[in-house]
Amino acid sequence: MSPIDAPIDWEQPATMIDLDGKAPLIGTIRQCAQHFAIFKAEAKMQARVLLTKPVHREGRRTRTWLLEPVEIEALAQRLRDEG
């Protein structure tokens, strides 16, 4: 289960970045999750998603603008589950 408290809207604008400095993907959460799903394990570990609306995380008092690989993987799994 994702450490994010509430589901993120698939149509929310977002930007997927990686720590290697490749060109970012600017699109929606859905597009970011779709691209993440096809990445190799090494690329997944470098991926981050920058949100346009911050989300709450379990155990944190403040909201966050950045999703980590485990959270992006949870979104990719949600996308697969939803068909």
Side-chain angles (χ1 to χ4, degrees), residues 6-24:
I8 298 174
D9 177 27
W10 285 126
E11 299 310 313
Q12 179 186 152
T15 302
M16 180 177 281
I17 58 173
D18 72 40
L19 302 180
D20 284 338
K22 294 182 184 98

Side-chain angles (χ1 to χ4, degrees), residues 9-78:
D9 177 27
W10 285 126
E11 299 310 313
Q12 179 186 152
T15 302
M16 180 177 281
I17 58 173
D18 72 40
L19 302 180
D20 284 338
K22 294 182 184 98
L25 166 71
I26 300 170
T28 63
I29 290 291
R30 179 183 306 278
Q31 292 167 326
C32 291
Q34 288 170 330
H35 277 72
F36 183 86
I38 63 172
F39 286 172
K40 293 181 180 177
E42 210 172 285
K44 286 183 177 183
M45 294 309 300
Q46 299 297 319
R48 303 295 186 273
V49 171
L50 181 61
L51 302 170
T52 54
K53 290 191 221 174
V55 294
H56 291 281
R57 280 198 176 128
E58 291 177 9
R60 287 188 65 175
R61 292 182 4 195
T62 59
R63 298 180 297 165
T64 184
W65 295 90
L66 192 68
L67 299 181
E68 300 291 330
V70 68
E71 296 161 325
I72 307 167
E73 181 63 47
L75 288 172
Q77 182 60 48
R78 182 178 136 207

